[in-house]
Amino acid sequence: MEMNVLVLDDAQINVTLLCLLLKKIDKCKSVSFSEPEAALAWCANHVPDLIMVDYMMPAMNGIEFIRRFREMDGCHDIPVLMITANNELELRYQALDAGVNDFLIKPIDKIEFLARTRNMLALRKSQRFLEDKAMWLDESVKKATAEILERERETVFRLSKAAESRDPETGAHILRMANYSKIIADQLGLSSQDQRLILEAAPMHDVGKVGIPDNILLKPGKLTPEEFSVMKQHTLLGYEILAGSSSNLLTTGAEIALAHHEKFDGSGYPNGLAGEKIPLFARIVAVADVFDALTSERPYKKAWNKENALAYLRDGSGLHFDPVCVDAFFAGLDRILAVKNLYKDDQY
């Protein structure tokens, strides 16, 4: 590991002497300055491993230089060795307060100089090792977290595909409604993290349909009241499948699965929640899911045209749907229609 030592002294002969002594230390490279301002300018773009600074300089003394150096980013812990002909305690106190780590008194003793310099560089090596280790650990944590998230996404995908395999709705429906939900969340001003979360959690909204009998789930006609009571259980089944996980993604999916059929006026199911008692993500998904269901063909119905579906959302604002979510839907309508045209049923 090469170590860079900054040498600052207004007397060129002293700079030359110090740089010659530093050559005796293995893997030690020196950069020298006779003017403090030039040294500070260099430090703005480089981080030295050790500073050697003379106290007595005409334009700016060593203590003021160190104070300004310590204020720079990444320079708080760099070892500093001050060289001075003054052995007064008051001066040392000021230097220590400014951030000096050790002292050398002129005239410089070569043996003492090399010993103190090696000690300072050993301290810096330890710092750099810990910094590199911390960075490595941070990268390792990020990598492990990314792998966990990827496994979660795969779990979500497989669960959603399992529900889709028994549902007359297509894979394109899942893609469309999830993207509609993200657009609504964006229009509502939700964070990019929340937008990503609803995009990935929304496809799980109907995962509970895996527990609904085929004679009800795939029935081409209208359901009887008894059959509809069974169908409504998919919200509870979906919640039971997803709830209790330590994963924020699956927990959010559980919340959406349970509440996406609640209505803003309290007439929905399974719990008859009303208004803001319905989780926001479920209120968003309700708008996205219904719009796509209305405009998609199913074995039991024809697709509605866009105008009728949009009118249904407007009419249902404040009754079936959260008015704020409906407004956000219409604010992002151009983007929503672009998604609708992108993901066609016959392609997924």
Side-chain angles (χ1 to χ4, degrees):
M1 181 186 295
E2 188 174 76
M3 308 297 283
N4 295 307
V5 179
L6 186 149
V7 178
L8 174 59
D9 195 311
D10 63 314
Q12 186 58 48
I13 188 171
N14 291 337
V15 170
T16 302
L17 173 62
L18 294 174
C19 290
L20 285 172
L21 288 172
L22 287 170
K23 287 183 178 180
K24 297 180 178 294
I25 300 175
D26 187 39
K27 295 183 179 179
C28 182
K29 180 182 177 182
S30 62
V31 54
S32 60
F33 296 91
S34 56
E35 296 180 358
E37 291 290 352
L40 288 171
W42 184 88
C43 291
N45 299 306
H46 306 81
V47 179
D49 294 301
L50 173 62
I51 295 277
M52 289 185 175
V53 56
D54 186 35
Y55 168 68
M56 291 296 294
M57 293 182 291
M60 181 192 306
N61 67 36
I63 292 176
E64 179 59 25
F65 171 84
I66 294 306
R67 286 200 179 104
R68 291 178 59 179
F69 172 75
R70 289 300 191 204
E71 292 173 354
M72 301 174 74
D73 289 340
C75 297
H76 182 73
D77 296 323
I78 306 299
V80 174
L81 191 59
M82 178 167 280
I83 301 169
T84 178
N86 193 327
N87 201 23
E88 291 184 3
L89 281 177
E90 184 59 32
L91 171 63
R92 287 182 172 241
Y93 294 155
Q94 292 177 24
L96 289 168
D97 186 60
V100 170
N101 299 95
D102 206 350
F103 299 89
L104 276 172
I105 305 299
K106 294 179 180 178
I108 292 175
D109 178 84
K110 184 177 77 170
I111 302 300
E112 183 183 15
F113 172 87
L114 292 173
R116 290 185 184 275
T117 301
R118 287 192 177 101
N119 287 341
M120 292 291 100
L121 291 176
L123 172 64
R124 179 58 182 160
K125 280 183 180 179
S126 297
Q127 289 177 346
R128 286 177 59 177
F129 173 78
L130 290 174
E131 288 170 0
D132 291 344
K133 187 173 183 180
M135 187 179 299
W136 177 83
L137 287 171
D138 184 56
E139 289 299 318
S140 296
V141 169
K142 287 180 180 177
K143 183 180 178 181
T145 301
E147 290 174 352
I148 291 170
L149 289 174
E150 189 57 36
R151 286 197 292 271
E152 285 185 350
R153 292 181 184 121
E154 182 182 4
T155 299
V156 169
F157 176 78
R158 291 180 181 277
L159 284 170
S160 301
K161 290 291 286 183
E164 175 194 328
S165 67
R166 300 196 59 251
D167 195 329
E169 295 175 350
T170 68
H173 166 70
I174 291 174
L175 289 170
R176 288 192 300 261
M177 60 81 59
N179 279 278
Y180 298 163
S181 298
K182 181 180 183 295
I183 293 168
I184 296 170
D186 182 25
Q187 293 295 145
L188 289 173
L190 271 62
S191 68
S192 58
Q193 291 87 351
D194 279 345
Q195 292 176 42
R196 178 76 182 183
L197 181 58
I198 199 169
L199 176 69
E200 295 176 346
M204 293 182 282
H205 67 294
D206 276 342
V207 72
K209 287 183 177 179
V210 297
I212 303 300
D214 285 351
N215 66 307
I216 294 176
L217 184 66
L218 305 179
K219 184 177 179 179
K222 185 177 180 180
L223 298 179
T224 67
E226 294 76 15
E227 290 170 335
F228 187 57
S229 294
V230 175
M231 177 64 84
K232 289 193 292 186
Q233 295 300 308
H234 82 274
T235 56
L236 297 169
L237 291 171
Y239 178 79
E240 290 171 3
I241 290 169
L242 300 170
S245 171
S246 60
S247 162
N248 187 38
L249 177 57
L250 295 180
T251 299
T252 303
E255 180 182 85
I256 292 171
L258 180 65
H260 71 286
H261 281 295
E262 299 288 358
K263 294 184 179 181
F264 201 72
D265 63 1
S267 64
Y269 66 87
N271 294 314
L273 301 179
E276 294 186 0
K277 290 184 178 180
I278 306 168
L280 176 58
F281 278 18
R283 283 180 270 151
I284 292 172
V285 167
V287 175
D289 186 37
V290 168
F291 176 74
D292 194 69
L294 292 175
T295 55
S296 300
E297 186 172 349
R298 295 290 179 264
Y300 50 86
K301 76 171 189 67
K302 296 291 184 181
W304 289 25
N305 63 41
K306 178 185 69 177
E307 290 72 22
N308 287 342
L310 294 177
Y312 184 89
L313 292 185
R314 288 193 186 96
D315 292 343
S317 180
L319 300 173
H320 186 158
F321 309 110
D322 181 349
V324 175
C325 294
V326 173
D327 290 345
F329 175 93
F330 280 99
L333 184 58
D334 288 345
R335 293 161 63 193
I336 284 170
L337 295 179
V339 169
K340 180 173 176 56
N341 290 329
L342 179 62
Y343 299 113
K344 302 289 188 180
D345 282 335
D346 57 1
Q347 296 175 353
Y348 295 86

